[in-house]
């Protein structure tokens, strides 16, 4: 069954096409592609977030069938990568039936947008001693800023949690040793990732990123240290990312929220409900997928 967009039963086709082009382009900086007719499989080159299959951009032939989906699943198993598909419901409404017929479970996530004509909300007032900054690739706070979302996604939700500065230091050290910090630093240098953090007395309490491709970018991986939640830091980081994107010529900013509770937070930043992002995976893989997103939130699309 086709998902219904909360705010608009007929999303702007130009915006849909623009976002679809972005979704096809953004993995290509770190992945190779394999052609399966109506579907494209993105395969990660090197370490980092393992990618997924998506509808092939510009495909004009018959829609994907359950058989096409199974061929991709066979290849994903052969490669030892997650069996995952991602797409926008309103752009490819017929794909849901095919992936469900192939035995996959589909998860819906609100897709929100700030289009060229949309006004971003003013940045929220920051708590005392907190500043939000876009970080340089050699910033001393970078490792901790990369680590914060890892801890946030390991303890999902918006309630205050136990993980604090001790866990943050441990996670930052681990991500430095395994090369994650260096990899993201290179992406910042290349301009493919912009990372902003909320800092209190030099300690990263919240961080997130946007990943521009031409005039479009996606805000992703915004997470707050569990012990520092309920202070408006996620909203402040999101506002900083939007401001950076707009100041650098990006006209369309979008994101996928985990659920409607999270979507309400982003609406306060000026985003509007636009469409529905779908993720399909085998039922037994959901817990593993959640763990992978916790391990690599900077490269996960839906958080």
């Amino acid at each position: 069954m086709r998902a219904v967009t909360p705010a608009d039963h007929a999303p702007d086709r130009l915006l849909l096409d623009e976002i679809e082009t972005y979704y096809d382009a953004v993995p290509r900086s770190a992945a190779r592609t394999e052609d399966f007719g109506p579907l494209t499989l993105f395969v990660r080159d090197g370490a980092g977030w393992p990618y997924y299959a998506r509808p092939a951009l510009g495909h004009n032939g018959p829609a994907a069938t359950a058989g096409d989906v199974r061929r991709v699943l066979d290849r994903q198993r052969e490669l030892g990568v997650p069996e995952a598909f991602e797409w926008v419901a309103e752009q490819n409404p017929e794909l849901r039936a095919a992936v469900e017929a192939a035995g996959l479970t589909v998860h819906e996530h609100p897709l929100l947008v700030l289009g060229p004509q949309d006004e971003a909300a003013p940045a929220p007032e920051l708590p005392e001693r907190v500043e939000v900054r876009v970080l340089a690739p050699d910033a001393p706070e970078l490792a901790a800023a990369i680590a914060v979302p890892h801890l946030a996604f390991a303890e999902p939700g918006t309630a205050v949690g136990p993980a604090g500065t001790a866990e943050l230091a441990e996670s930052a050290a681990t991500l430095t040793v395994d090369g994650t910090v260096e990899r993201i630093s290179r992406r910042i240098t290349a301009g493919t990732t912009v990372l902003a953090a909320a800092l209190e007395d030099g300690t990263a309490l919240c961080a997130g990123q946007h990943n521009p491709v031409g005039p479009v970018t996606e805000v992703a991986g915004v997470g707050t240290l569990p012990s520092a939640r309920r202070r408006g830091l996620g909203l402040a980081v999101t506002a900083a990312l939007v401001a950076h994107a707009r100041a650098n010529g990006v006209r369309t900013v979008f994101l996928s929220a985990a659920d409607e509770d999270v979507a309400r937070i982003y609406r306060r930043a000026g985003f509007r409900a636009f469409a529905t992002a779908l993720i399909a995976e085998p039922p037994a893989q959901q817990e593993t997928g959640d763990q992978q997103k916790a391990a690599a939130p900077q490269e996960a699309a839906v958080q």
Side-chain angles (χ1 to χ4, degrees):
M1 182 176 66
R2 176 175 172 168
V4 176
T5 304
D8 191 342
H9 292 274
D12 184 315
R13 179 56 53 182
L14 291 177
L15 266 181
L16 272 178
D17 289 345
E18 194 172 57
I19 290 172
E20 189 67 18
T21 299
Y22 174 93
Y23 272 135
D24 180 81
V26 74
R28 293 177 184 266
S29 65
R32 70 178 191 275
T33 62
E34 296 188 9
D35 180 14
F36 288 83
L39 300 168
T40 297
L41 174 60
F42 295 93
V43 182
R44 179 83 196 199
D45 287 328
W49 174 251
Y51 287 108
Y52 36 73
R54 290 193 60 82
L57 185 68
H59 177 73
N60 294 317
T65 65
D68 294 318
V69 173
R70 292 189 187 101
R71 287 197 302 125
V72 175
L73 290 171
D74 288 343
R75 179 58 174 157
Q76 289 172 322
R77 294 185 195 111
E78 180 184 349
L79 292 168
V81 299
E83 299 164 35
F85 291 74
E86 297 190 9
W87 73 102
V88 177
E90 290 76 4
Q91 186 78 356
N92 296 96
E94 73 291 336
L95 184 54
R96 182 166 191 157
V99 299
E100 289 180 334
L104 303 181
T105 298
V106 176
H107 310 281
E108 298 186 2
H109 302 274
L111 193 154
L112 297 96
V113 69
L114 271 167
Q117 307 305 318
D118 297 325
E119 290 289 337
E125 185 175 346
L126 291 172
E128 188 178 355
R129 303 198 317 275
V130 173
E131 63 169 339
V132 176
R133 286 195 279 116
V134 171
L135 298 185
D138 58 352
E141 305 91 351
L142 185 63
I146 292 168
V148 163
H150 287 250
L151 297 173
F153 283 73
E155 294 183 29
T158 59
V160 175
T165 55
E167 291 82 1
L168 179 61
E170 181 179 352
S171 179
T174 298
L175 295 173
T176 299
V177 171
D178 73 10
T180 299
V181 174
E182 175 59 28
R183 185 172 69 253
I184 294 175
S185 176
R186 289 197 302 268
R187 290 182 60 85
I188 294 172
T189 299
T192 54
T193 289
V194 176
L195 192 148
L199 307 166
E200 183 176 55
D201 299 329
T203 298
L205 298 182
C206 178
Q209 66 174 1
H210 78 87
N211 303 286
V213 177
V216 182
T217 195
E218 180 182 22
V219 171
V222 177
T224 302
L225 191 68
S227 63
R229 287 171 175 161
R230 302 288 180 90
R231 299 174 62 187
L233 301 180
L235 194 58
V237 167
T238 300
L241 292 168
V242 170
H244 180 277
R246 286 279 171 87
N248 286 274
V250 172
R251 65 171 183 261
T252 299
V253 185
F254 76 99
L255 57 85
S256 297
D259 53 38
E260 283 299 329
D261 287 339
V262 176
R264 279 193 288 272
I265 295 173
Y266 289 117
R267 289 192 192 99
R268 290 164 54 194
F271 287 85
R272 58 184 171 88
F274 175 68
T276 307
L278 301 181
I279 295 178
E281 58 191 0
Q285 188 175 286
Q286 181 175 358
E287 182 176 353
T288 300
D290 291 342
Q291 292 168 347
Q292 288 170 335
K293 288 173 186 175
Q298 284 80 15
E299 298 173 73
V302 180
Q303 300 298 344

